[in-house]
Amino acid sequence: MTEAEAVASIESLQHKDPGRTDLYGLAEGKNIVLISLESTQDFVIGQKVNGEEVTPFLIDLIEDSFYFNQVYDQTAQGKTSDAEFMMDTSLYPLASGSVFVRRPENTFHSLPHILKEEKDYYAATFHGNVDTFWNRNVMYETLGYDRYFSKEDYTVTEENSVNYGLKDTPFFTQSADYMKNLPEPYYAKFLTLTNHFPFLLEEEDMFIDEAVTEEDVVNRYVTTVRYLDKSLETFFEKLKEEGMYEDTVFVLAGDHYGISEKYEVGLNELLGEEATITNQMQHKQVPLIIHIPGQQGETIATPGGEIDIRPTLLHLMGIQAEERYSFGHNLFTRDSDHPVIFRDGSFISDDYIYKDNVCYDKETGHEIDIQQCEPSLETVREELKLSDKIIFGDLLRYMVGGE
Ligand code: GP9
Ligand code: MN
């Protein structure tokens, strides 16, 4: 593909998603709080361990939220940074390394840029780790963030830290104080940290007992997810107290798996299920919850991926998503037959699963003739190739005036 052909293909992306629903503009003008839930997989929602809910707060929140229960983790080696990249740009991550590290000098037309152009939003991002991790200090400027609150902005002590650093509860509590001074309307992104491999927690933060499976990683994981759930509850309470809840749309999304394939037998044991391809793919689902205070809850079972979060949010914000040079689809209208594409070339669609060069019937999990996966595979190849072309050719500089 030549550069000119690639630019023409990007143009053609513009008109793929014209459907408007009566939800269009439902959250127009509201502040946006996006919370990236570290290593949180969808199976934890509604999961009990020793008779106790792992996510009691999220279950309550889901009652009054849009809950997308078939959204897949599409990250690759860039892990959290890949999830951030997809949510901000709706492009695919790279097959190796992280875009944050490899292409920070590119032009991107990201969520902060769009919100600023359309509705004059201020964009801030909050994370308790050092600012250089994943090259965020450089990439956040490229992505259009006005302010990055990182480790040096927080009071971090031995008592309020574990594993990678600042625990989620003090992180949220201290962040809420900074939020009070943000110009409105704002888009504020929060990255949690405590629920990170190897899932370490102090006694005082253990609100449920460890699970009992043959994998200690799985056993500990449920306790750090429970801690994360509690920290979210504290954050929401604080925002309500401070009057920062009512006029806000909340987006909560798991960034990627916590339990890697290496420990999957423990997960099969926890969930009381067989180790099948269908279950393995299901474990790739991450929760996506969009909460608009006062709005009735609804579960949306349309399959999609993290790349679809941005157009879904833009739809609610009353901003047209179809002219944004991206690959995502609005999850309220997404065609369920369009494959959900993973960076390694695998995919899942209504009828098929394709993984490690094998095509499976999604319903039965049986291996079938590869030809049946071929039409979707063509889409997979095309999209990944074009996304790479955009990133490696820095092609968006031609589309957005080379800002
Ligand atoms: C580190 C945090 C975790 O700052 O974002 O990164 P991960 O290892 O999940 O990519
Ligand atoms: Mn992560």
Side-chain angles (χ1 to χ4, degrees), residues 38-39 77-81 84 127 129-130 133-134 136 164 191-193 196 255-256:
E38 179 56 47
S39 303
Q77 290 174 348
K79 304 289 290 294
T80 308
S81 72
E84 291 186 73
H127 185 43
N129 202 350
V130 289
F133 204 96
W134 283 129
R136 287 183 176 113
Y164 268 68
L191 307 181
T192 66
L193 196 55
H196 193 287
D255 64 349
H256 51 73

Side-chain angles (χ1 to χ4, degrees), residues 245-257:
Y245 166 78
E246 283 299 330
D247 206 24
T248 299
V249 50
F250 295 87
V251 181
L252 284 74
D255 64 349
H256 51 73
Y257 66 83

Side-chain angles (χ1 to χ4, degrees), residues 44-219:
V44 299
I45 307 288
Q47 182 64 33
K48 286 189 178 171
V49 171
N50 306 314
E52 303 262 358
E53 290 287 0
V54 179
T55 61
F57 171 72
L58 288 179
I59 287 174
D60 276 358
L61 186 74
I62 283 169
E63 289 276 303
D64 304 314
S65 304
F66 295 114
Y67 169 45
F68 302 86
N69 67 356
Q70 287 202 54
V71 170
Y72 289 84
D73 164 15
Q74 294 171 301
T75 63
Q77 290 174 348
K79 304 289 290 294
T80 308
S81 72
D82 282 352
E84 291 186 73
F85 181 67
M86 283 185 274
M87 289 192 269
D88 278 343
T89 68
S90 197
L91 297 170
Y92 290 100
L94 294 175
S96 71
S98 162
V99 187
F100 271 41
V101 177
R102 296 187 66 186
R103 304 300 300 194
E105 270 94 42
N106 272 19
T107 294
F108 292 107
H109 199 216
S110 71
L111 188 53
H113 293 133
I114 295 169
L115 292 168
K116 181 150 290 173
E117 275 161 30
E118 297 279 336
K119 317 259 178 188
D120 202 21
Y121 272 67
Y122 183 87
T125 173
F126 299 77
H127 185 43
N129 202 350
V130 289
D131 69 345
T132 49
F133 204 96
W134 283 129
N135 205 26
R136 287 183 176 113
N137 55 331
V138 180
M139 188 60 168
Y140 281 164
E141 264 188 49
T142 301
L143 293 174
Y145 286 93
D146 298 294
R147 176 73 160 94
Y148 176 18
F149 295 91
S150 67
K151 186 176 180 182
E152 62 191 38
D153 295 288
Y154 294 89
T155 305
V156 183
T157 62
E158 208 172 303
E159 287 74 54
N160 72 9
S161 304
V162 71
N163 199 3
Y164 268 68
L166 185 61
K167 295 179 192 177
D168 292 340
T169 298
F171 164 65
F172 280 130
T173 309
Q174 293 183 39
S175 298
D177 287 332
Y178 285 125
M179 283 170 78
K180 287 182 209 159
N181 299 318
L182 297 181
E184 294 186 80
Y186 55 76
Y187 158 45
K189 173 164 79 172
F190 299 83
L191 307 181
T192 66
L193 196 55
T194 308
N195 185 40
H196 193 287
F197 187 86
F199 312 116
L200 307 176
L201 211 55
E202 277 156 297
E203 197 61 38
E204 63 192 30
D205 298 317
M206 291 226 190
F207 306 121
I208 53 170
D209 291 335
E210 289 188 1
V212 185
T213 74
E214 68 181 77
E215 291 292 356
D216 284 344
V217 165
V218 173
N219 301 344

